[in-house]
């Protein structure tokens, strides 16, 4: 199941992955459940907003990113054991229906866990980009990764 463990991760290592097409239906569905602001729900109202068009909630962008990350971790066989949290999220540009999102990542730090000798903690920096290469979101996150054996 797992092929990549804490010991295999190098600080500075970069990766690019994912392809997630944003749909109008998904933007409205997510917003109606979790972030019912008018510019996420109504195209006409959104045209008059600061965004100029219907756009995804930032939290929806986070959820789409999470889906791409988990799919990538499974594909690579990364021994991920969850996350103790994030250090920051920034929404840089709106995400619109029709955008295709992808991720660039870099491992920025790692250390052994003080309380759990069977795992290590890894810090990563992420950039979520649209099909034009524009950064729409950044995130600095932390992950628990299993050690071999």
């Amino acid at each position: 199941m797992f092929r990549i463990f804490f010991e295999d991760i190098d600080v500075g290592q970069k990766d690019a992955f994912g392809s997630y097409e944003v749909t109008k239906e998904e933007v409205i569905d997510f917003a109606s459940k979790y972030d019912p602001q008018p510019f996420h729900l109504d195209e006409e109202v959104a045209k008059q907003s600061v965004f100029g068009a219907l756009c995804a909630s930032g939290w929806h962008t986070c959820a789409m990113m999470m889906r791409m990350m988990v799919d990538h971790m499974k594909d690579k066989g990364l021994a991920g054991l969850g996350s103790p949290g994030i250090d920051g999220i920034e929404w840089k540009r709106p995400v619109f229906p029709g955008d295709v999102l992808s991720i660039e990542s870099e491992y920025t730090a790692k250390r052994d866990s003080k309380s759990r000798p069977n795992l290590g903690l890894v810090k990563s920096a992420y950039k979520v980009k649209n099909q034009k290469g524009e950064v729409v979101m950044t995130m600095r996150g932390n992950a628990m990764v299993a050690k071999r054996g």
Side-chain angles (χ1 to χ4, degrees):
M1 180 168 145
F2 295 137
R3 296 182 307 277
I4 298 174
F5 295 86
F6 178 74
E7 296 87 346
D8 303 316
I9 293 171
D10 294 319
V11 173
Q13 183 178 343
K14 296 179 181 183
D15 206 354
F17 56 91
S19 178
Y20 194 103
E21 185 170 355
V22 182
T23 68
K24 177 175 118 176
E25 295 76 21
E26 189 176 18
V27 167
I28 292 170
D29 183 56
F30 185 96
S32 66
K33 291 176 184 173
Y34 306 109
D35 190 358
Q37 297 184 75
F39 42 84
H40 300 318
L41 294 168
D42 184 303
E43 287 184 279
E44 291 307 312
V45 172
K47 286 178 186 174
Q48 306 307 313
S49 75
V50 66
F51 305 111
L54 187 75
C55 64
S57 163
W59 298 111
H60 185 192
T61 304
C62 290
M64 292 181 280
M65 175 189 177
M66 189 68 199
R67 180 57 196 245
M68 287 185 283
M69 288 173 53
V70 171
D71 288 348
H72 186 64
M73 285 173 32
K74 285 181 184 178
D75 290 346
K76 284 181 69 168
L78 179 66
L81 301 174
S83 171
I86 59 170
D87 294 332
I89 296 171
E90 294 181 19
W91 295 302
K92 302 289 196 177
R93 300 177 86 81
V95 171
F96 299 108
D99 281 350
V100 178
L101 304 180
S102 61
I103 299 173
E104 291 180 0
S105 67
E106 179 179 359
Y107 294 122
T108 58
K110 67 184 257 189
R111 69 172 177 84
D112 294 318
S113 171
K114 293 175 184 154
S115 60
R116 297 181 182 198
N118 62 326
L119 64 86
L121 299 165
V122 179
K123 288 186 174 284
S124 299
Y126 300 94
K127 292 179 184 175
V128 179
K129 294 183 171 186
N130 64 20
Q131 70 282 358
K132 299 174 192 171
E134 299 167 328
V135 175
V136 298
M137 185 180 102
T138 60
M139 185 180 88
R140 294 174 316 285
N142 303 286
M144 298 179 291
V145 180
K147 291 182 178 178
R148 246 185 207 89

